Amino acid sequence: MKCSPTQSWIRFQQTIALFGAMLVSSQACLAGNVDVPAIVSKPHLSSQEFYDIAVKESKGKKWDKLFNGKDLQGWKVVLANAAPGEDPEKIFQVVNEEIHVYRDTPAGKNMPFGVILTDKEYSHYRFRFEYKWGEKKFAPRANTIRDAGLLYHTIGAEKIWPVSVECQVQENDTGDFYFVYTGGDCPVDQAGTKFLDQSLGGKFKTIYQPNGIKRVIKSKTLERDGWNTVEVVVRGDAAVHLVNGEINNYCVNMKAPQGESKELLPLTAGRIALQCECAELFYRNIELLPLEGK
């Protein structure tokens, strides 16, 4: 019986997961720590192969609008200085079918960080949105580059910042990974800090800092003036980042401390959030296309 591309991908991942478990076990015996192996040598799809399978599966399917252009139905505001669900200063406003962040706030004013967070959780999907920077910046980041971000596989408490994986949205840095109290295996360059696909010689390295945040720099800068499109393709514990249609980061085996024991376990689902970090900006055309899961 011939397998579909998705079935082939799933069987491939199941096979390499077995080899991965054997590898981690051997490392645990040697190092006494199963949480953070330095280098991961098991095989994986390249970032382009991973993306191409999702694109092929998407043909003929409809994207779901997660933002209706009228209000924030389906989303919840979470700010650093307010109870979840409250937005006393109206930081997130819907105007002209766009989410205008810090619309009425005077430039330079001290403002809180925050997110809008989906009501639902997601696991296997393509998610995309457009963003554009405004002119104003606010304390405590009034004199720094403009910053925001996409958080996905967000779990646990509704706070700033929640346990999640971030696709960075920041001037000249859009596409970076930030593992916010989470971790994953990324193909990186010799320095171990910048995405380099394994097809180009990159080696998978586990990126994780207990109780901390770790970064993997994107392979190239793709942001442009005006509107930009960001897409993440997520299949359970693996994801690829695209900016304006080009891949610039990739991760597999995402994981997070979970349960009362805070055991490091696969991170395969969670809510989606869009950040505000003291820079005026606009979001629009926020859409999700579900993909087949295990």
Side-chain angles (χ1 to χ4, degrees):
M1 181 176 67
K2 187 176 180 180
C3 295
S4 69
T6 300
Q7 290 171 326
S8 299
W9 181 88
I10 292 171
R11 290 182 182 180
F12 179 82
Q13 293 295 321
Q14 289 172 335
T15 301
I16 63 177
L18 175 62
F19 286 106
M22 295 169 63
L23 175 66
V24 169
S25 295
S26 64
Q27 288 171 327
C29 293
L30 293 173
N33 183 355
V34 299
D35 287 349
V36 193
I39 298 294
V40 179
S41 59
K42 62 185 178 183
H44 289 284
L45 296 171
S46 72
S47 58
Q48 190 65 55
E49 290 169 331
F50 181 90
Y51 178 65
D52 288 346
I53 289 172
V55 170
K56 187 172 183 179
E57 184 188 329
S58 302
K59 289 183 178 179
K61 293 186 176 181
K62 183 180 178 181
W63 288 79
D64 298 327
K65 291 187 179 296
L66 295 194
F67 168 52
N68 61 21
K70 300 176 182 179
D71 54 36
L72 293 178
Q73 181 180 356
W75 298 81
K76 185 176 187 177
V77 177
V78 179
L79 300 173
N81 67 345
E86 296 184 1
D87 186 3
E89 298 187 75
K90 297 183 178 179
I91 291 174
F92 293 96
Q93 298 187 39
V94 177
V95 181
N96 297 326
E97 299 186 341
E98 300 165 359
I99 300 172
H100 190 168
V101 186
Y102 301 113
R103 177 176 184 261
D104 296 331
T105 307
K109 182 179 178 180
N110 192 73
M111 295 300 292
F113 296 159
V115 297
I116 51 172
L117 188 64
T118 58
D119 293 337
K120 297 180 180 179
E121 291 191 351
Y122 302 92
S123 180
H124 293 65
Y125 57 88
R126 296 174 66 185
F127 177 83
R128 67 187 181 191
F129 66 96
E130 296 176 38
Y131 76 92
K132 179 179 71 171
W133 298 115
E135 295 295 325
K136 297 181 292 183
K137 295 193 286 185
F138 314 94
R141 292 184 55 88
N143 298 313
T144 59
I145 58 176
R146 293 173 175 85
D147 188 12
L150 159 67
L151 307 180
Y152 56 94
H153 281 11
T154 299
I155 61 173
E158 296 174 341
K159 63 179 183 177
I160 305 302
W161 300 110
V163 175
S164 57
V165 178
E166 177 179 357
C167 175
Q168 175 69 294
V169 174
Q170 180 172 272
E171 291 179 299
N172 298 316
D173 292 321
T174 299
D176 286 358
F177 268 105
Y178 275 87
F179 295 96
V180 186
Y181 317 115
T182 57
D185 299 338
C186 299
V188 292
D189 61 8
Q190 191 171 4
T193 59
K194 185 176 181 178
F195 166 59
L196 180 66
D197 196 80
Q198 67 269 39
S199 65
L200 300 175
K203 303 294 183 183
F204 277 94
K205 179 181 179 181
T206 295
I207 311 297
Y208 176 63
Q209 179 178 325
N211 301 313
I213 299 174
K214 294 286 284 185
R215 177 190 186 192
V216 175
I217 301 169
K218 82 284 190 229
S219 59
K220 49 189 170 181
T221 300
L222 298 167
E223 186 180 14
R224 58 197 179 208
D225 291 339
W227 289 102
N228 291 269
T229 300
V230 173
E231 180 180 349
V232 295
V233 179
V234 184
R235 283 190 182 274
D237 65 355
V240 65
H241 295 174
L242 296 95
V243 179
N244 293 320
E246 292 190 51
I247 294 169
N248 71 353
N249 229 329
Y250 179 44
C251 179
V252 301
N253 298 333
M254 294 185 290
K255 53 188 77 72
Q258 299 176 54
E260 292 184 4
S261 66
K262 299 300 181 184
E263 181 182 0
L264 202 60
L265 298 173
L267 181 60
T268 59
R271 298 159 78 181
I272 298 171
L274 294 170
Q275 293 178 305
C276 65
E277 294 188 68
C278 294
E280 182 186 17
L281 80 156
F282 305 80
Y283 292 116
R284 70 179 186 186
N285 296 331
I286 304 169
E287 301 177 314
L288 183 143
L289 189 150
L291 297 173
E292 293 181 25
K294 296 180 182 179

